Amino acid sequence: MLRPKRHRTTKTDGHARSSKKGSQVRSSKKDGRASTTKKDGPVNDLLPELISEILSRLPIELILRCRSVCKTWNSVIQSPLFINLQARKSHNQPSRVILKPIFGGVTATTMHSLFLLDTEERKSRRIHDKSWRFSGLQIMSSCNGLLCITSDSELGPVYISNPITREFVILPSPETGFSLLRHQVGLGFDSSNGKYIVVRAYTDKSKSQVNKFEAIMLGENSWRSLTVPDIIAECTINGSVFWNGALHWKIKKKPGRECMLSFDVSSGKFAVTRFPVSADVPDDFEMVELDGHLSLVQVYDTQMKIWRVTGEKIEGLSVCYEDMYCMNVRWNSSFNCEIIRGYIDEGYLLQVNTHRGPGGAWRRYLTQYFPKMEQFLSLIIPSIPICFKTISFRPTLISPMQLHFVPHG
């Protein structure tokens, strides 16, 4: 397992806390400045732009190690140009998987940990930091190497974290909390201005039980209310996937069929996509990005069905039936699976969830499924917890602190 070398240094950049009203910030990031005394080799005769191009193609573990090779490389890797270049190139590489311990998987050892998986090498990198207070919270979304972590029953705290740099910010929270029926939070990136936006949908336990939407840009001090289509007022809202410049939720109005709500992060507009009867989209689908496409997936009984969302703008999205696979496994409420991501070789990574008997504990496993061969391949990765939540993840070096605390004046 490749790990970055760490050096004891004294922080002088003020990353420990910020006095900016309404927000808190902590960083346990180790200073990556190279302390080696090795002489720069011939490779450093290359232009910094070429060094950046080469290093940006490496896995994140090797990039972290390269910071300690020499001062030139360390300087290149910490530059904003390299960080942005590596983030763009991460979309041309297979996504990774990050894992958060939950339920029985939370122990004294794993309590303050996340796990970055290398499914090809069947290895995990445990990322541990005692300053993290993520226990009992959920990873709700991921965008460009940043995770959005919060509660599904309270408005705060909402963390935006980069587990690779071990930095996080806490977004402004209400002074007094109140209990919620639902709380779903999505994180998106506005390519028109280079800013990140967080959108949350929640339903309180009041008699009206009306859904409310709020948004905040990283760098702002307060949430602002969003106006949503009337159909959304009393719908059930689930999930959040950022795809093609928009956040997407699965919604259902009772009585009625399920449909999809989309929010364009650049224009700030909502749109509702109703599924045609001919598409035969079921009620129990999950939304996931597969091979760069937003997909609807249903795993029921012995079958997996996939629908693909097409279209460039949220006002013109449509859904078409793509494929159906016979999995030769009978899934049920105590033995089910979720698709985490697709593979280049036409396979899928599954999270298998098992529950043994009344009062029994949930256990979770990772399995590769190859439909054309009708084959499952168990993915045994040592040292991961017995129960966890997984999310597809593209590691980057983007700093949530630098995004959130924008200099003024």
Side-chain angles (χ1 to χ4, degrees), residues 125-142:
R125 176 178 176 234
R126 177 171 169 251
I127 307 172
H128 178 79
D129 197 308
K130 289 186 177 180
S131 67
W132 286 344
R133 296 292 182 265
F134 299 159
S135 181
L137 305 181
Q138 298 186 22
I139 301 178
M140 292 207 171
S141 56
S142 173

Side-chain angles (χ1 to χ4, degrees), residues 108-170:
T109 303
T110 65
M111 183 179 299
H112 304 290
S113 301
L114 298 173
F115 294 79
L116 179 64
L117 305 188
D118 185 337
T119 56
E120 301 302 321
E121 297 293 330
R122 301 197 174 198
K123 296 179 181 179
S124 68
R125 176 178 176 234
R126 177 171 169 251
I127 307 172
H128 178 79
D129 197 308
K130 289 186 177 180
S131 67
W132 286 344
R133 296 292 182 265
F134 299 159
S135 181
L137 305 181
Q138 298 186 22
I139 301 178
M140 292 207 171
S141 56
S142 173
C143 179
N144 291 348
L146 300 179
L147 299 178
C148 181
I149 304 175
T150 189
S151 166
D152 62 356
S153 59
E154 295 181 1
L155 287 182
V158 178
Y159 292 89
I160 304 299
S161 170
N162 185 332
I164 302 303
T165 65
R166 305 189 190 186
E167 294 176 317
F168 65 82
V169 296
I170 305 176

Side-chain angles (χ1 to χ4, degrees), residues 41-303:
V43 69
N44 291 312
D45 293 335
L46 299 173
L47 293 173
E49 292 81 3
L50 187 54
I51 296 176
S52 293
E53 185 68 30
I54 295 170
L55 296 181
S56 65
R57 299 171 183 267
L58 298 176
I60 197 67
E61 292 88 347
L62 290 180
I63 292 176
L64 293 175
R65 289 194 65 180
C66 286
R67 294 186 305 181
S68 298
V69 169
C70 63
K71 292 181 179 179
T72 300
W73 286 20
N74 180 67
S75 177
V76 166
I77 290 171
Q78 294 194 69
S79 70
L81 289 176
F82 177 84
I83 291 172
N84 292 331
L85 176 64
Q86 187 274 333
R88 290 195 302 271
K89 287 189 178 296
S90 69
H91 290 271
N92 300 324
Q93 301 172 355
S95 63
R96 302 282 293 274
V97 173
I98 204 158
L99 177 156
K100 181 184 182 296
I102 60 172
F103 305 136
V106 179
T107 65
T109 303
T110 65
M111 183 179 299
H112 304 290
S113 301
L114 298 173
F115 294 79
L116 179 64
L117 305 188
D118 185 337
T119 56
E120 301 302 321
E121 297 293 330
R122 301 197 174 198
K123 296 179 181 179
S124 68
R125 176 178 176 234
R126 177 171 169 251
I127 307 172
H128 178 79
D129 197 308
K130 289 186 177 180
S131 67
W132 286 344
R133 296 292 182 265
F134 299 159
S135 181
L137 305 181
Q138 298 186 22
I139 301 178
M140 292 207 171
S141 56
S142 173
C143 179
N144 291 348
L146 300 179
L147 299 178
C148 181
I149 304 175
T150 189
S151 166
D152 62 356
S153 59
E154 295 181 1
L155 287 182
V158 178
Y159 292 89
I160 304 299
S161 170
N162 185 332
I164 302 303
T165 65
R166 305 189 190 186
E167 294 176 317
F168 65 82
V169 296
I170 305 176
L171 300 184
S173 298
E175 294 183 1
T176 56
F178 51 91
S179 230
L180 304 176
L181 289 176
R182 287 174 292 271
H183 184 219
Q184 298 289 330
V185 185
L187 173 65
F189 175 67
D190 185 353
S191 59
S192 68
N193 58 22
K195 293 185 177 181
Y196 288 79
I197 185 171
V198 182
V199 179
R200 65 183 177 196
Y202 62 93
T203 310
D204 61 33
K205 290 186 176 180
S206 65
K207 293 182 180 180
S208 62
Q209 294 187 5
V210 174
N211 295 311
K212 299 177 182 178
F213 280 75
E214 296 177 341
I216 187 173
M217 288 277 191
L218 291 189
E220 294 180 337
N221 288 325
S222 60
W223 297 78
R224 64 184 184 277
S225 296
L226 298 176
T227 302
V228 297
D230 292 338
I231 187 178
I232 307 305
E234 298 177 2
C235 286
T236 301
I237 302 172
N238 292 292
S240 172
V241 178
F242 180 69
W243 172 77
N244 199 29
L247 286 162
H248 306 272
W249 295 267
K250 168 186 171 182
I251 60 174
K252 183 176 182 179
K253 186 174 178 63
K254 296 182 180 181
R257 296 179 62 85
E258 294 197 353
C259 47
M260 184 172 66
L261 175 68
S262 303
F263 175 75
D264 187 302
V265 299
S266 294
S267 67
K269 295 181 179 179
F270 284 95
V272 175
T273 301
R274 294 174 172 82
F275 306 138
V277 176
S278 59
D280 196 26
V281 178
D283 290 343
D284 56 345
F285 69 84
E286 298 295 332
M287 287 198 306
V288 62
E289 182 180 340
L290 296 176
D291 303 322
H293 300 278
L294 183 60
S295 301
L296 315 180
V297 180
Q298 180 202 39
V299 178
Y300 175 75
D301 198 28
T302 62
Q303 296 180 337

